[in-house]
Amino acid sequence: MSASSRRFGRSLKPFRHPRTWMALWVLAIAIVVITSLLPGKDLPPVGMNDKLEHVTAYALLAASAVQLFARRLSWGFVCVLLVLMGIGLEFLQGAMGLGRTMDSHDALANAIGVLVGLGSAFTPLRDLLLRIDRRLAGG
């Protein structure tokens, strides 16, 4: 394990580039937060059902956490935080008065997405990012 991996604690998988992967994950979270708080009129059409957008976004965030973190406790903690983030963003949408409304069905879709992403932990793909990281590092 490299010195930079140790600085992130034992929760992360033994990446050669842990900061890069964490930064990309945090960027993805920021994109979800920002797009959730933009006025509805400013959002480009994605061509996908609204609830499917929510499920997909949160499934990708949770599956990314499975890719990054080695410990099940970390997965659970991150997944709880993602569900709470989704609920909080729905409240903010209703409170900000930017043409968006709070929708409990969106919050439910977010939670379902988190569960779908967490489900990736029980597939052979759960260490895909670790394998990619090692190939990029030439090892």
Side-chain angles (χ1 to χ4, degrees):
M1 181 184 294
S2 71
S4 62
S5 294
R6 282 192 294 270
R7 277 189 228 121
F8 279 101
R10 59 187 176 158
S11 292
L12 277 185
K13 292 179 181 176
F15 292 108
R16 294 180 189 251
H17 305 287
R19 291 178 186 202
T20 301
W21 301 122
M22 283 299 293
L24 289 171
W25 185 58
V26 169
L27 177 63
I29 292 170
I31 289 169
V32 168
V33 169
I34 290 167
T35 57
S36 295
L37 297 178
L38 284 174
K41 64 179 175 47
D42 292 344
L43 293 174
V46 179
M48 180 186 300
N49 174 286
D50 172 56
K51 301 306 178 256
L52 188 56
E53 288 177 23
H54 285 265
V55 169
T56 301
Y58 281 79
L60 289 172
L61 291 177
S64 297
V66 168
Q67 292 296 313
L68 288 169
F69 298 101
R71 299 171 59 205
R72 290 179 186 209
L73 183 62
S74 298
W75 300 339
F77 182 71
V78 167
C79 287
V80 167
L81 289 178
L82 287 172
V83 169
L84 292 174
M85 180 181 88
I87 292 168
L89 287 171
E90 288 303 319
F91 276 108
L92 284 172
Q93 285 177 353
M96 290 177 68
L98 295 173
R100 310 269 308 253
T101 58
M102 182 173 74
D103 185 348
S104 61
H105 292 105
D106 286 350
L108 179 61
N110 298 341
I112 290 169
V114 169
L115 289 175
V116 169
L118 182 60
S120 70
F122 305 101
T123 72
L125 296 177
R126 83 174 186 197
D127 290 325
L128 179 63
L129 187 58
L130 189 58
R131 292 192 297 267
I132 291 169
D133 180 72
R134 288 182 178 157
R135 280 194 184 160
L136 290 175

